[in-house]
Amino acid sequence: MNMIAPIDTAETKPAQTEAEANRSRLVRRAAWIVGPVALVAAGYGLFHRDAPVLAAPPPPTVTVAAPLAQDVTEWDTYVGRFEPSRSVEVRPRVSGAVVAIHFRDGEMVRQGQALFTIDPRPYTAALAEARAGVATAVSDLALARTDYERALKLVSADAVSQSEVDRLRARVQAAQASLAAAQARVRARALDVEFTVVRAPISGRISDRRVDAGNLVAAGEGQASTLLTTINALDPIYFTFDGSEALYLKSKRAGSETAAPVEIKLQDEGDYRWKGHLDFTDNGLDQKSGTIRARAVIANPDNFLAPGLFGNMRLAGGGTTRALLVPDTAISTDQVRKIVLTVGKDGTVAPREVTLGPVVNGLRVIRSGLTPADRVVITGIQFAQPGGKVLTVNGRIAPQQTGGTSDTVAPPPAGEATLAH
């Protein structure tokens, strides 16, 4: 009889344990594979989920204002130089040695003031000799008259011939001429003595002395004589400038080419503080430059202005006109164009090409391109883009007074014609 042998549990248990170990290894291997795949899938779902829509930023805010409408005086601007109203080269009228100098270099002198003294002794001696010649001529004339009068008494008795009477008459006339010549020599020698003291021919500021005491100076005609010093009259003082043909025609048609008021400022001044009037316009234009020379007279009571100084002058050129003004900061450059940004009612920025004028009270005159109803961007211009939208804050354009002057004017920008403003 066949009998079934019992199973040894001690032998089968390790086999089961080995199978379970293999199964555990498969599970761990699957986890290593499935885990990254699950992460990738999760990430894919995360990054491909619909992102929320970001809100658009608000439009930038700028300040806008209407152009300032103001009456502006019409001026023509020029650059010129101050010159003395009179200038004299002091030269000696007699030759000799300088024995004294009676002024300090650079001081103000009065007309007739003694400046130099030339040794007068040779001229005093010549004057004495001339006076002696007058005495001789007087004596000769007295003798001639006596002889002539005696002859006239003898004519009636036929004691003297008529020819002798005529000779004595001629002798009297010659003696009179000799006396007149001697007297003229006295006056000439007296002038020489007077000229030994060189006096200021005009009042003004004197230059430095060109010769010192002890030097010999020579008289002569023009440049042949020795230059002693120069004197410039400074009150009033001249301001000379050259104007273009266009400006000359403009002022000519306006009838303001003579006696027109002018105002001048120096290079370091912000205001036109020097007042005067136009007093001379040349009789023709320079054929080479096409300009005409003109001159204004400026009061200079304290002698502050000196010849040779440059200045900017404005000349009244035709009353006042209505003009629109905006700050210079509101103006930008687009290549060669000058533009101003304006904002419409819907907040859209639009550029306007403008023609610029001068600066009046710190504001730029706009000759064309704007209307009084336009809203000009005056601050925040860097945030405004043509065609874009902006939010606006209302501002105000006001004149900027400088130094208390109510009508301070600067020249037009480079490239602009220097016309009336």
Side-chain angles (χ1 to χ4, degrees):
M1 169 178 192
N2 295 331
M3 295 183 65
I4 301 173
I7 302 172
D8 190 353
T9 57
E11 295 178 358
T12 61
K13 185 174 182 180
Q16 293 176 353
T17 302
E18 184 178 355
E20 290 176 355
N22 291 336
R23 197 164 44 250
S24 297
R25 284 195 295 271
L26 291 175
V27 170
R28 287 195 298 269
R29 187 176 299 172
W32 278 102
I33 296 174
V34 174
V37 173
L39 290 175
V40 171
Y44 180 83
L46 177 63
F47 286 103
H48 284 75
R49 188 177 301 167
D50 291 339
V53 178
L54 298 178
T61 301
V62 299
T63 304
V64 297
L68 176 63
Q70 180 175 298
D71 290 332
V72 179
T73 303
E74 296 252 351
W75 299 95
D76 297 327
T77 58
Y78 304 87
V79 175
R81 176 176 293 196
F82 289 97
E83 294 182 357
S85 54
R86 288 187 295 170
S87 182
V88 175
E89 292 183 342
V90 180
R91 297 178 183 271
R93 302 181 70 173
V94 294
S95 301
V98 176
V99 295
I101 298 176
H102 308 287
F103 68 93
R104 292 191 302 272
D105 295 347
E107 71 176 357
M108 300 298 298
V109 296
R110 303 180 309 275
Q111 183 177 4
Q113 177 179 333
L115 304 178
F116 298 87
T117 297
I118 298 173
D119 188 359
R121 292 174 297 176
Y123 302 100
T124 303
L127 176 59
E129 182 181 0
R131 287 173 175 168
V134 169
T136 300
V138 169
S139 176
D140 291 342
L141 177 59
L143 178 60
R145 282 177 175 171
T146 301
D147 291 342
Y148 176 64
E149 292 172 355
R150 185 182 299 112
L152 287 178
K153 294 178 181 179
L154 297 175
V155 169
S156 58
D158 293 332
V160 178
S161 64
Q162 186 62 41
S163 61
E164 182 64 17
V165 173
D166 295 338
R167 186 184 65 81
L168 293 174
R169 183 187 301 114
R171 182 183 170 189
V172 170
Q173 294 173 347
Q176 290 174 338
S178 297
L179 177 59
Q183 292 172 339
R185 285 191 293 272
V186 169
R187 290 192 295 270
R189 299 294 80 78
L191 283 175
D192 289 342
V193 173
E194 181 180 345
F195 292 154
T196 58
V197 179
V198 181
R199 300 183 181 275
I202 61 172
S203 298
R205 187 180 297 280
I206 196 168
S207 182
D208 61 332
R209 61 187 183 275
R210 306 298 172 85
V211 296
D212 294 317
N215 285 279
L216 291 173
V217 296
E221 296 293 335
Q223 301 297 324
S225 59
T226 303
L227 178 63
L228 301 178
T229 187
T230 59
I231 302 175
N232 289 332
L234 304 181
D235 185 26
I237 193 170
Y238 288 153
F239 184 83
T240 59
F241 60 95
D242 292 329
S244 67
E245 181 177 351
L247 290 174
Y248 170 74
L249 292 175
K250 177 179 176 295
S251 61
K252 191 75 172 179
R253 296 185 191 281
S256 60
E257 73 278 5
T258 57
V262 301
E263 298 179 357
I264 300 173
K265 68 176 181 179
L266 302 181
Q267 299 299 313
D268 62 342
E269 295 178 338
D271 301 335
Y272 290 82
R273 56 169 293 198
W274 304 98
K275 314 296 182 182
H277 64 275
L278 190 68
D279 81 321
F280 165 76
T281 302
D282 209 349
N283 57 359
L285 277 74
D286 187 278
Q287 296 183 358
K288 294 182 180 179
S289 63
T291 59
I292 188 167
R293 186 170 59 93
R295 184 182 71 200
V297 179
I298 311 297
N300 187 29
D302 57 355
N303 298 310
F304 179 83
L305 299 174
L309 286 175
F310 281 97
N312 295 322
M313 186 196 80
R314 59 183 187 181
L315 170 66
T320 59
T321 57
R322 198 71 173 173
L324 299 179
L325 301 96
V326 300
D328 260 337
T329 54
I331 302 169
S332 57
T333 302
D334 181 11
Q335 294 182 352
V336 296
R337 302 184 306 164
K338 298 294 183 181
I339 61 173
V340 171
L341 298 182
T342 61
V343 180
K345 294 182 179 180
D346 59 350
T348 302
V349 178
R352 295 287 183 86
E353 183 177 356
V354 294
T355 302
L356 304 184
V359 172
V360 179
N361 292 333
L363 300 176
R364 179 68 65 181
V365 172
I366 304 299
R367 298 191 185 277
S368 63
L370 285 180
T371 66
D374 288 330
R375 298 195 303 166
V376 178
V377 179
I378 57 176
T379 59
I381 188 173
Q382 67 273 19
F383 305 118
Q385 298 296 328
K389 297 284 188 176
V390 294
L391 300 177
T392 60
V393 175
N394 292 328
R396 178 174 175 270
I397 299 175
Q400 304 171 9
Q401 301 295 340
T402 57
T405 302
S406 62
D407 194 15
T408 303
V409 179
E416 295 288 329
T418 311
L419 298 176
H421 54 273

